[in-house]
Amino acid sequence: MFSCIRSASVYGVDGREIAVEVDISSGLPQLTIVGLPDPAIRESVERVRAAIKNSGFTFPMDRITVNLAPADLRKEGTAFDLAIASGILAASGQIAGSQLKDVLIIGELSLDGTVKPVPGVLAMIEQAKHCGLTNIVLPAANAHEASWISGMKLFGIHHLKQLLALRFEAIESLDSLAQPADCHEANAMEDYAEIIGQQLALRAMLIAAAGKHNMLLCGSPGTGKTMMIRRLPTILPSLTEEEALEVTKIYSVSGKLPQKISGLMSAPPFRAPHHTISAAGLIGGGSIPKPGEVTLAHHGVLFLDELAEFPRSVLEMLRQPLEDRQVTIARSRATIQFPASFILAASYNPCPCGFRNQEYGSKLCTCSPAAIARYLSRLSGPLLDRFDLQLEISRPASLREEAASADSTAKQYNNSADMKRLVEQARELAWQRNSIYGVRYNSQLAGAALKKAANMNISAARLLDYAFQKLSISMRAYDRLLRLARTIADIEQMETVTAEHIAEAIQYRKLEEKTTDNR
C-alpha cells in the first residue's frame, strides 16, 4: 500500500516542495523515515503514532517506510508531521487518498492530534502557487498568514480528525488580505523635532534615507548619536508591495512574525543587535543556514551602536554583504543566499572613555595613545570605506532651539513628517530615472549606469577629480561620493549634479581621514 502527499519546507527564505512518500508492507511493526531528516523529523515518529491513536484512527502494525523526496536535500522542522500522518492514513485506507491529490499539507502535530502552527508558511504557500498548487491544508493558526497570498484555497484545521471532512469543492477561496500593516512602525512619540540643533546631522539622516546610504556617526557620549539614528525609521517611506512580501516572508521563516498583524509588514524593519552578537547571529548560519540580523534588516535599517566594541572578525564579515546586498552561506550539502539590502547606520566614541580632544563638562580624556589605537583598530579601512556618510557629532552650542545650530549654512529641518516628505520626493525622482537601469535607489547604481545617472556638469566633474587626487580617496569612495551627490541633487529636485552637490558630499568623508590619521 502506497501513498504520496505533497508538503513543503523552507530553504533560506524560500519554500521548497517536498514529496512525502509512504509505503506500508508486511513485516515487523516499525516506522522508518528516510531522506536526510533532522532530529526533529525523526522524533515525529512518536508524535504521529500518538496523534493517530488519540484521534480515533488505527495505527498500522506493519512495516512503514516514509521517504522525503528529493532525498539528497536535508530536511528540518516539524512541518511534515501532518503530511506524514495523512500519508499513513491514506496508505492504510482510513481516509480517501484521492481527496489529497494535488493538495499541499503542512503542520505540526501534538500527541492528542491537535494541529499546531509552523514558521515559514508564507514562503511555502508562495512556492506552492508557483508550482500550480492552490489547495492547501494547514494549521488554522497559520491560515490568516497564508491568506496574504491571493488565489489560494485554504483549509485551516485544528485537529487531525478534520481530515475526514475535507471537501475542497466547498472551500471558499480567500482573497488576499495583504493590506499594509505598520507592525514595525517606530514609536509615534519619536520625532526629529525632539533633536536640539544638530542640523548638519539631520541633513545627513535625510540623505541616508533618500538614497539608502550607509552612515557612520562619531562623537562623545550624550551628543545624540543613538537618539538620531533610532529615529531614522520615522522618515523612511513605507515598503512597496513587493518589498513588504519579501520582508514578511523573512520574518515568517525566522519565526519572528508579530502575532497581532493584520497584513504584510509595510514599515521598514529596524534591527539593533548588541555588540556581543556572534558572527552567525549577525550574518546567518547553522548546519541548515538561518537568516541573521543583516537579513532581518532587509529593506530597513541595521543599527550597530558602539561600533568599536564589536569584535573585528564580526565587523569584517559585513564587507561582502554591503557590496553585494546579499549573503551567501556555503555548506557541504548546500549553498544558500539570503537577501541583505539595508541601510547600515553605526555610531562609536572617539576613544574608550569617549572624551578625547575635547572638554565635556569637567571630564577630560584619560586614554593613552596605545589604548586609543587599540580601540580604533577594530575599524578597518575597507570597512570605513563602505560608509557613504561619515560625520563627527559634537555638543550643541546652546539648549535654545533657535541658537542650537552651530552651522549657519545647514538646512533647517523641524520634524520627521517634513523630512519624510522630502525623502519620498527624492526617491520618486530617483526611481523615475533609475528604473531604466534596473535599480530603485541611488546607492545601487554602479559602473556606466552611475555615470549616466549622475549627469554632472563640467564644474562638478572637475571638483570630483580634484578631490580624488588631493584627498587620495579610493575608487570605491569615488563612486560613493558620486552616488551621494546624486542623492543630494534629488533632494533639491535637480536633474544635474553641480559642484555644490559634490562639495557637500565631500564633507561627509572627512571622518575617515581623521580616524586614519589618529591611528
Side-chain angles (χ1 to χ4, degrees), residues 323-334:
E323 289 295 318
D324 299 340
R325 301 187 180 275
Q326 64 180 13
V327 174
T328 302
I329 299 179
R331 294 292 182 264
S332 60
R333 293 186 177 273

Side-chain angles (χ1 to χ4, degrees), residues 147-334:
S147 68
W148 300 338
I149 305 295
S150 60
M152 310 301 287
K153 295 182 178 180
L154 307 176
F155 189 20
I157 63 175
H158 298 275
H159 199 276
L160 183 61
K161 291 186 294 186
Q162 292 180 262
L163 289 176
L164 290 171
L166 289 182
R167 295 293 184 271
F168 279 101
E169 63 274 15
I171 295 177
E172 181 180 357
S173 179
L174 299 180
D175 294 330
S176 174
L177 299 179
Q179 301 299 323
D182 293 337
C183 59
H184 271 59
E185 199 70 77
N187 191 324
M189 298 299 294
E190 294 183 348
D191 195 289
Y192 276 121
E194 302 170 355
I195 305 297
I196 298 176
Q198 305 293 8
Q199 289 298 314
L200 186 60
L202 294 183
R203 171 74 170 178
M205 295 288 168
L206 178 70
I207 296 170
K212 290 193 71 173
H213 299 288
N214 302 324
M215 167 184 290
L216 178 64
L217 300 183
C218 175
S220 298
T223 53
K225 306 184 299 296
T226 301
M227 184 178 183
M228 285 187 286
I229 293 179
R230 286 195 175 276
R231 281 157 175 73
L232 190 56
T234 65
I235 63 174
L236 294 177
S238 299
L239 301 175
T240 64
E241 184 176 350
E242 180 182 355
E243 292 172 342
L245 177 59
E246 196 171 1
V247 170
T248 307
K249 186 168 64 173
I250 291 172
Y251 276 76
S252 174
V253 168
S254 304
K256 300 181 183 298
L257 195 65
Q259 295 183 354
K260 295 181 180 180
I261 179 173
S262 59
L264 299 179
M265 296 168 56
S266 66
F270 183 87
R271 306 293 299 182
H274 192 259
H275 61 258
T276 57
I277 190 172
S278 65
L282 184 64
I283 302 299
S287 57
I288 299 180
K290 294 296 184 182
E293 289 293 330
V294 296
T295 301
L296 293 173
H298 187 53
H299 293 314
V301 179
L302 176 64
F303 176 33
L304 301 184
D305 199 7
E306 303 296 344
L307 185 67
E309 297 293 342
F310 284 78
R312 177 164 179 160
S313 59
V314 174
L315 292 179
E316 292 302 297
M317 291 187 176
L318 288 170
R319 288 159 56 177
Q320 182 259 342
L322 288 175
E323 289 295 318
D324 299 340
R325 301 187 180 275
Q326 64 180 13
V327 174
T328 302
I329 299 179
R331 294 292 182 264
S332 60
R333 293 186 177 273

Side-chain angles (χ1 to χ4, degrees), residues 33-54:
I33 300 179
V34 297
L36 294 182
D38 76 335
I41 298 177
R42 287 194 294 268
E43 292 174 355
S44 67
V45 170
E46 301 305 324
R47 290 195 300 273
V48 170
R49 189 194 310 273
I52 288 177
K53 293 174 61 178
N54 292 329

Side-chain angles (χ1 to χ4, degrees), residues 59-215:
F59 190 84
M61 300 303 294
D62 296 298
R63 181 182 180 87
I64 304 174
T65 303
V66 178
N67 178 44
L68 305 179
D72 60 337
L73 290 178
R74 189 172 296 276
K75 295 42 169 220
E76 70 167 357
T78 58
F80 299 111
D81 287 7
L82 186 57
I84 293 174
S86 302
I88 293 174
L89 295 177
S92 59
Q94 299 182 64
I95 61 174
S98 59
Q99 70 175 351
L100 301 181
K101 184 180 179 181
D102 295 330
V103 177
L104 186 78
I105 300 179
I106 52 178
E108 177 186 345
L109 287 174
S110 63
L111 298 184
D112 63 351
T114 301
V115 182
K116 295 183 175 181
V118 294
V121 166
L122 202 61
M124 299 181 199
I125 302 301
E126 185 182 41
Q127 176 63 25
K129 186 174 183 179
H130 291 329
C131 295
L133 288 175
T134 57
N135 295 329
I136 313 294
V137 175
L138 75 167
N142 289 130
H144 183 67
E145 176 186 346
S147 68
W148 300 338
I149 305 295
S150 60
M152 310 301 287
K153 295 182 178 180
L154 307 176
F155 189 20
I157 63 175
H158 298 275
H159 199 276
L160 183 61
K161 291 186 294 186
Q162 292 180 262
L163 289 176
L164 290 171
L166 289 182
R167 295 293 184 271
F168 279 101
E169 63 274 15
I171 295 177
E172 181 180 357
S173 179
L174 299 180
D175 294 330
S176 174
L177 299 179
Q179 301 299 323
D182 293 337
C183 59
H184 271 59
E185 199 70 77
N187 191 324
M189 298 299 294
E190 294 183 348
D191 195 289
Y192 276 121
E194 302 170 355
I195 305 297
I196 298 176
Q198 305 293 8
Q199 289 298 314
L200 186 60
L202 294 183
R203 171 74 170 178
M205 295 288 168
L206 178 70
I207 296 170
K212 290 193 71 173
H213 299 288
N214 302 324
M215 167 184 290

